[in-house]
Amino acid sequence: MAVNTREQFLDAAETLFAERGFYGVSIAAIGTELGLTKQALLHHFGSKEKLYGEVLGRISDRFDAITTQTSAASDPTEAFVAYFIELYGASLEEPHQTRLLMRELLDNRRRADTAGTWYLKPFLEHLIRLLQAIPSWRTASEMEALAMIYQFLGALNYYAISAPTLTGIFGDDAYAELDQAFPSQLDQLMRSALSARG
Amino acid sequence: MAVNTREQFLDAAETLFAERGFYGVSIAAIGTELGLTKQALLHHFGSKEKLYGEVLGRISDRFDAITTQTSAASDPTEAFVAYFIELYGASLEEPHQTRLLMRELLDNRRRADTAGTWYLKPFLEHLIRLLQAIPSWRTASEMEALAMIYQFLGALNYYAISAPTLTGIFGDDAYAELDQAFPSQLDQLMRSALSARG
DNA sequence: GATATACCTTACCGATTGGTAAGTGTCAAG
DNA sequence: CTTGACACTTACCAATCGGTAAGGTATATC
């Protein structure tokens, strides 16, 4: 029960922070989610900030796992696209994760001095290297590459957080159709944009 | 001073809500931003929720203005691209606006029952019509069109909220280079993706 | 069988939250 | 000279916030 409780707290916290934001969730609310009091939470994590930090750390680890595991691919274009497919899969498997990272992106001015850039920097640098491995992009500067990467990243992440809104607007059936059309169109978007340079 | 104070409250609230989120800002903080007390704010708006609603309403009006004003363009592809250029300009002129809307997208499950979709539906439907006006996209279903639109929307909005993070990671000079590369690459992305169909 | 440790509770704490009540001062209309 | 609307204040309020202190209970250790 011991280690398990900690993990359960992290799961509950990740979900709630993703849905309501850091200030929108009280530690008491996270506690009652497991049928416990907020002091049980404080016993394990010390403070709300530390809990939040551990939630972010766990997500960071997941990204590292994706980066190290998706390295194998012969063609550089395929390797690049494969990485984004992996990211897309991760956003489906861990739907709260993308929302929480988006919030972090919005709030980062608050913690710009402290944790700063944490997970994002090595992640973006890896993507830049993947893109520059493609022959027609070898002459691109780091920032030119990043500008293109950011378009794909934006397309993917923005969509990932919009599901409830889009179902609200268009209904479940229409959203299912949209959800089916999205990944192939993202694939098409990436390939056409990547090959447009040359 | 009377009407002006109301407007000043709305400006301050928009900035603060965008930067810290609804729960991250107290009405007292918004009050002191104008050198007044929170009761002055409550006198004008009645409650924090109502103030927030008015902030959103103002943004919605701005989007309506963009939609009605950017209708004139002969070539449908140019009209479509021009709309996104207009959106990009708006995100530069009103930097808080994009951040606040992104938060609204993240929080909308909270108010999914009430305000629901408010500004987004007519906005997206307008974009769908613009895209379907392009010959090669005339056969696309609404959701196929929306899948493509959402890629562009995501690319644009995700980038718009990332400025502080990216300068933090790569520094001011590199970000300036990125910022210069971005709009032309977005333009290139859109045109290559739009012409890839058919 | 005493001690220690992990896990969790009840009982508090000061600070802050959104909001109400009851004014105070100003200024224009009658 | 009074009345009343407007813009704002001080003074409160109950509820909630994150966090501390001091236990209680179970299990493992010696």
Side-chain angles (χ1 to χ4, degrees), chain A residues 181-195:
Chain A
F182 188 85
S184 67
Q185 290 219 11
L186 178 62
D187 190 273
Q188 180 192 336
L189 177 88
M190 289 175 61
R191 293 178 193 278
S192 62
L194 288 176
S195 64

Side-chain angles (χ1 to χ4, degrees), chain B residues 29-80:
Chain B
I30 303 172
T32 55
E33 197 78 2
L34 303 196
L36 298 174
T37 63
K38 61 174 176 171
Q39 285 73 12
L41 190 156
L42 288 173
H43 167 72
H44 285 289
F45 298 96
S47 78
K48 188 184 183 183
E49 283 278 355
K50 285 179 188 166
L51 166 66
Y52 186 72
E54 287 209 35
V55 169
L56 288 183
R58 236 171 38 147
I59 294 177
S60 182
D61 291 345
R62 287 190 209 129
F63 272 84
D64 287 347
I66 291 177
T67 300
T68 54
Q69 120 196 356
T70 325
S71 51
S74 51
D75 183 53
T77 302
E78 293 307 319
F80 185 83

Side-chain angles (χ1 to χ4, degrees), chain A residues 32 45 98 154 195:
Chain A
T32 55
F45 300 96
T98 310
S195 64

Side-chain angles (χ1 to χ4, degrees), chain B residues 81-102:
Chain B
V81 174
Y83 194 91
F84 274 89
I85 290 174
E86 204 68 33
L87 288 178
Y88 181 74
S91 78
L92 293 180
E93 277 178 39
E94 306 276 354
H96 308 302
Q97 172 174 298
T98 309
R99 302 182 85 80
L100 208 155
L101 289 181
M102 194 71 85

Side-chain angles (χ1 to χ4, degrees), chain A residues 65-112:
Chain A
I66 291 177
T67 299
T68 54
Q69 121 196 356
T70 326
S71 50
S74 51
D75 183 53
T77 302
E78 293 307 318
F80 185 83
V81 173
Y83 194 91
F84 273 89
I85 290 174
E86 206 67 34
L87 287 178
Y88 181 73
S91 77
L92 293 180
E93 276 178 38
E94 307 276 354
H96 308 302
Q97 172 174 297
T98 310
R99 303 181 84 81
L100 208 155
L101 290 181
M102 193 74 84
R103 288 188 188 278
E104 192 61 16
L105 210 57
L106 286 164
D107 289 347
N108 79 329
R109 206 171 303 199
R110 171 169 60 100
R111 64 187 74 250

